[in-house]
Amino acid sequence: MTDMRNFLKSYNTHAANANNEAVTIAWNYYTNITKENQAKMTESDLDMANFTKVWAAKANQFDWKRSDLNATEKRQFEKITQLGFSSVNDTAKIELKSNLEAELTGIYSTGKVCLTEFGKGCLELEPGLTDMMANSRNPNELLAAWKGWRDQTGKKMRTKYTEFVNVMNEMIKFSGFNDTGEYWRSWYEASTFESDVKKLYNELLPLYEQLHAYVRHKLKNKYGTALFPDTGHIPAHLLGNMWSQSWSNIYDLLTPYPNAISVDITQKMKDKGYNVTHMYRVAEEFFTSIGLDKMPTSFWNKSMLEKPANRDVVCHASAWDFYDGEDVRIKQCTSVTADQFLTVHHEMGHLIYFLAYAIQPVIFRRGGNPGFHEGMADIVSLSFQTPEHMHAIGLLDSIPNDKESDINFLMQMALEKIAFLPFGYLIDQWRWSVFRRETTPNNYNANWWDLRCGYQGISPPVQRTEQDFDPGAKYHIPGNTPYIRYFVSFVVQFQWHKALCDEIGYKGQLHRCDIYKNKTAGAKLRNMLALGSSKQWQDAMQVMTGGRNMSALPIIQYFTPLIDWLKEQNKEENIGWSAQCPSNIPSPDQTNNQARLSVSTETVCLIIVTLTNFLLMSM
């Protein structure tokens, strides 16, 4: 017994040091993409694989399963002996996997789209293309950005991704899993996980269908019906986001009551002189106001909060734990916008989780399940975005209480939360199918669009073929980040939000509850966060909600006023869309001709206006 406990102590010390070194090397690559840093990261991956194997072998020398260790100690041994990809003894395969992941991420992170025909020059994803997709209302310009990004990223990584899938599947079989997807799902410690999330999706689908019908109607009014197929789909480039995963950027086209108060804070932030650092200070103050941790000094000294001018970096926002109990960082190319302000709170939420479970052994320093981490990162948004909170931090002059303003607020939230649900669900439906070899390189793109057309009700604005690889245009595919965690997080965050609001005795409508400055809520949240993965996620859920299962009911309760309103608005609309993609999607040549025609028409109109003004002045 003493030997086994001493082993766990020794492992904890060595694991903290090994993880710190590995994360530091990865940080150096992601904040400075060079061949040298890539080589160091590959070497680091080999070192970590060896570390995992060596310590697992040491752990297996003990008869820990039949010992008198307590349940938590046995859980440590169990996790130490789970090798994952490190179980393979083929160094060349480990090195190949690491190199391919770095190469795929490098293609994504260095992609640029040249839009000279629209006077835009060559743009990176952040902030250039992202801002264009959010703010442009020119469908030809949006299409050029949409297609250009996929040409410059996914299309270039198709062969490498196939090789990447093959090597991962070969490696994971040494750990006893049939494929990589099965390994990823094992992290949820529930044999019914796939059917559980499918049930949740089906329960939430009616909310999405009502939102989709409303948005489709409004966009037809804006762009005309000619762009919209008769299958009921929405063209993917018109939704304000490169991947159509969030629709909040087109709120100006969808506002239910334009004359009522809307919570649009970007201009207010600029009027108040917000800069990037101030955004992070405001986020930090939210967490400290409920009794959670402040950011350590190292956060402010070592994070990458803005895009450096002199080197290539991975701009995709992410939170980093360096496993020493204090060094936590954010990597984000932040700009002063409402959307980025929300991301700042999200990423800092991850750091709060890191700091809360730093009391645990290293092997338990992760979320109860992968969705828990994302849920924690987002739970603050349900308070942060309320009119009550915007008013409290000086970004809204008064708190609206009329029905019209309330519907406006719920619409903004739905465009972010409800619009995301099918996207969050389908990404790994595609990837699990790839890992199972049900989807092969011969139909990568076709199956991708089958899912997007079927689940999201969106369609490609231009013909796609197997020369394209549109999944690769989304960071989490080349970055090899499992995605179902985000769907899970969008469900559990509403469960937790309701539990916290119940805890503080809140009696109003759930969507107006703000836990800001309430340390009772913070204490309850900390109790769950501090568990890390020391217990199964169902136990952590029980600490927070009193129940052990994920439930769609709180999110349905939250949005009920809006859903009732949407049903009334959609009385004349056909709800839903065809399960198949449209068959009459225009070819690239057709869209190029349309774009040229559009530019020519604009030029002719400008000449006519100029001549008319000249003649009028002459008269």
Side-chain angles (χ1 to χ4, degrees):
M1 289 280 289
T2 301
D3 288 345
M4 284 187 277
R5 287 185 173 129
N6 285 337
F7 167 82
L8 291 176
K9 290 179 182 177
S10 179
Y11 171 83
N12 194 59
T13 300
H14 285 86
N17 292 333
N19 277 286
N20 178 272
E21 183 177 351
V23 173
T24 299
I25 291 170
W27 172 269
N28 291 341
Y29 171 74
Y30 279 81
T31 58
N32 187 13
I33 301 173
T34 66
K35 290 292 185 183
E36 181 183 5
N37 283 341
Q38 179 182 330
K40 289 179 180 177
M41 193 165 70
T42 299
E43 184 179 353
S44 172
D45 286 348
L46 292 171
D47 290 343
M48 279 304 296
N50 185 60
F51 174 89
T52 303
K53 279 185 286 197
V54 167
W55 282 88
K58 290 180 180 179
N60 280 324
Q61 291 175 3
F62 298 100
D63 190 11
W64 56 272
K65 290 182 181 178
R66 292 188 293 181
S67 73
D68 291 329
L69 292 173
N70 63 41
T72 301
E73 291 166 332
K74 287 184 178 181
R75 186 169 171 82
Q76 288 183 65
F77 269 99
E78 181 184 4
K79 288 186 174 292
I80 290 169
T81 55
Q82 290 174 351
L83 291 172
F85 292 112
S86 300
S87 60
V88 66
N89 289 317
D90 189 336
T91 301
K93 275 189 168 56
I94 298 172
E95 187 172 346
L96 177 60
K97 174 183 175 292
S98 180
N99 281 332
L100 284 169
E101 187 168 343
E103 288 168 11
L104 289 165
T105 306
I107 292 170
Y108 183 94
S109 299
T110 56
K112 294 180 182 178
V113 178
C114 296
L115 298 167
T116 51
E117 69 269 36
F118 296 101
K120 303 290 184 182
C122 296
L123 303 177
E124 297 177 327
L125 180 63
E126 299 284 356
L129 293 171
T130 297
D131 287 349
M132 177 184 289
M133 295 301 292
N135 299 313
S136 175
R137 300 295 179 256
N138 178 342
N140 293 319
E141 186 175 73
L142 291 169
L143 175 59
W146 187 95
K147 182 179 181 298
W149 177 246
R150 283 151 181 80
D151 288 346
Q152 295 303 315
T153 55
K155 201 168 189 175
K156 295 182 176 182
M157 62 178 75
R158 183 187 182 94
T159 302
K160 289 184 186 295
Y161 187 75
T162 301
E163 191 177 2
F164 188 46
V165 167
N166 290 338
V167 74
M168 283 196 295
N169 273 349
E170 289 172 16
M171 290 171 68
I172 205 60
K173 286 180 179 178
F174 287 89
S175 281
F177 294 96
N178 290 315
D179 60 64
T180 303
E182 183 180 72
Y183 170 56
W184 285 356
R185 292 189 298 276
S186 74
W187 302 342
Y188 291 87
E189 299 181 285
S191 60
T192 58
F193 178 68
E194 275 194 270
S195 59
D196 291 343
V197 293
K198 183 176 182 179
K199 180 175 180 289
L200 289 167
Y201 170 79
N202 287 331
E203 289 174 352
L204 293 167
L205 179 58
L207 281 69
Y208 180 79
E209 288 176 329
Q210 291 293 331
L211 181 66
H212 180 280
Y214 174 81
V215 171
R216 182 181 58 204
H217 173 73
K218 287 288 190 177
L219 291 180
K220 281 184 177 181
N221 288 344
K222 167 65 178 177
Y223 294 109
T225 58
L227 289 179
F228 291 79
D230 57 13
T231 52
H233 295 90
I234 300 173
H237 64 311
L238 301 179
L239 289 159
N241 175 270
M242 185 61 81
W243 310 278
S244 312
Q245 69 181 69
S246 167
W247 305 346
S248 55
N249 289 323
I250 59 169
Y251 174 72
D252 61 301
L253 304 179
L254 311 172
T255 310
Y257 297 102
N259 294 326
I261 296 176
S262 293
V263 184
D264 182 8
I265 63 171
T266 297
Q267 190 57 49
K268 196 77 169 179
M269 290 165 64
K270 292 177 179 178
D271 291 344
K272 285 184 167 288
Y274 268 57
N275 59 27
V276 167
T277 302
H278 187 60
M279 292 164 70
Y280 286 90
R281 289 292 185 187
V282 172
E284 178 188 45
E285 196 271 333
F286 181 97
F287 291 107
T288 58
S289 82
I290 61 174
L292 297 176
D293 298 288
K294 64 182 291 187
M295 291 297 103
T297 302
S298 59
F299 167 81
W300 302 104
N301 295 335
K302 297 181 178 180
S303 291
M304 188 196 86
L305 304 183
E306 297 183 75
K307 188 179 188 305
N310 58 347
R311 63 182 190 267
D312 286 326
V313 301
V314 177
C315 266
H316 185 86
S318 55
W320 295 65
D321 183 4
F322 286 76
Y323 290 91
D324 64 359
E326 181 172 306
D327 189 354
V328 294
R329 307 178 197 173
I330 287 174
K331 173 186 63 61
Q332 183 174 342
C333 300
T334 319
S335 55
V336 182
T337 67
D339 186 57
Q340 288 274 291
F341 200 20
L342 186 60
T343 303
V344 166
H345 283 75
H346 175 97
E347 298 304 335
M348 195 170 284
H350 284 301
L351 304 196
I352 294 295
Y353 210 162
F354 295 154
L355 295 170
Y357 60 50
I359 60 173
Q360 295 287 349
V362 169
I363 201 71
F364 291 152
R365 292 186 197 173
R366 61 197 71 181
N369 69 40
F372 270 42
H373 234 300
E374 297 303 327
M376 168 54 198
D378 260 0
I379 189 174
V380 64
S381 71
L382 299 180
S383 288
F384 161 71
Q385 290 176 274
T386 60
E388 285 76 5
H389 190 74
M390 290 295 106
H391 178 67
I393 62 175
L395 292 178
L396 191 63
D397 295 330
S398 61
I399 301 174
N401 287 306
D402 57 289
K403 179 184 176 181
E404 289 78 10
S405 297
D406 213 38
I407 293 297
N408 280 355
F409 168 70
L410 280 170
M411 178 61 73
Q412 287 179 296
M413 294 299 291
L415 294 173
E416 176 195 340
K417 302 292 186 180
I418 301 300
F420 177 81
L421 292 172
F423 184 82
Y425 180 72
L426 72 85
I427 297 289
D428 279 349
Q429 301 303 313
W430 179 84
R431 196 154 36 178
W432 294 342
S433 176
V434 169
F435 290 141
R436 287 171 174 147
R437 304 193 188 282
E438 296 165 351
T439 294
T440 69
N442 292 330
N443 56 8
Y444 272 166
N445 225 43
N447 283 10
W448 171 258
W449 280 105
D450 283 346
L451 290 169
R452 299 207 70 187
C453 290
Y455 282 111
Q456 274 188 286
I458 67 164
S459 57
V462 63
Q463 282 181 13
R464 314 308 288 156
T465 72
E466 292 306 328
Q467 297 301 309
D468 300 302
F469 182 59
D470 294 335
K474 175 62 182 169
Y475 171 78
H476 299 74
I477 300 297
N480 203 36
T481 304
Y483 210 78
I484 198 67
R485 63 181 62 180
Y486 299 101
F487 177 81
V488 169
S489 78
F490 272 52
V491 173
V492 300
Q493 66 185 256
F494 284 88
Q495 285 184 263
W496 297 344
H497 181 63
K498 184 179 187 308
L500 294 178
C501 293
D502 289 345
E503 181 75 10
I504 65 177
Y506 177 78
K507 300 299 182 185
Q509 290 186 310
L510 186 58
H511 64 274
R512 297 296 289 266
C513 174
D514 178 14
I515 64 169
Y516 182 52
K517 294 187 176 179
N518 196 302
K519 289 185 168 56
T520 300
K524 187 177 185 69
L525 185 56
R526 183 187 287 276
N527 287 340
M528 183 192 72
L529 301 179
L531 291 174
S533 64
S534 63
K535 295 182 181 295
Q536 291 190 338
W537 68 263
Q538 295 90 339
D539 296 319
M541 179 70 83
Q542 190 161 23
V543 167
M544 187 70 162
T545 68
R548 298 179 61 80
N549 298 317
M550 294 183 286
S551 171
L553 293 178
I555 191 171
I556 293 170
Q557 178 185 343
Y558 184 100
F559 285 105
T560 291
L562 178 66
I563 300 306
D564 291 342
W565 183 86
L566 284 172
K567 287 178 179 177
E568 187 65 28
Q569 303 302 306
N570 291 334
K571 279 184 176 179
E572 304 300 320
E573 291 296 310
N574 292 321
I575 307 300
W577 51 87
S578 170
Q580 286 77 42
C581 289
S583 59
N584 58 340
I585 297 169
S587 69
D589 288 341
Q590 287 175 306
T591 55
N592 288 339
N593 289 337
Q594 289 170 2
R596 282 192 291 269
L597 178 62
S598 174
V599 172
S600 299
T601 303
E602 290 174 6
T603 303
V604 170
C605 289
L606 180 61
I607 292 170
I608 291 171
V609 169
T610 303
L611 286 172
T612 302
N613 287 339
F614 175 77
L615 291 171
L616 287 172
M617 286 187 291
S618 299
M619 290 170 67

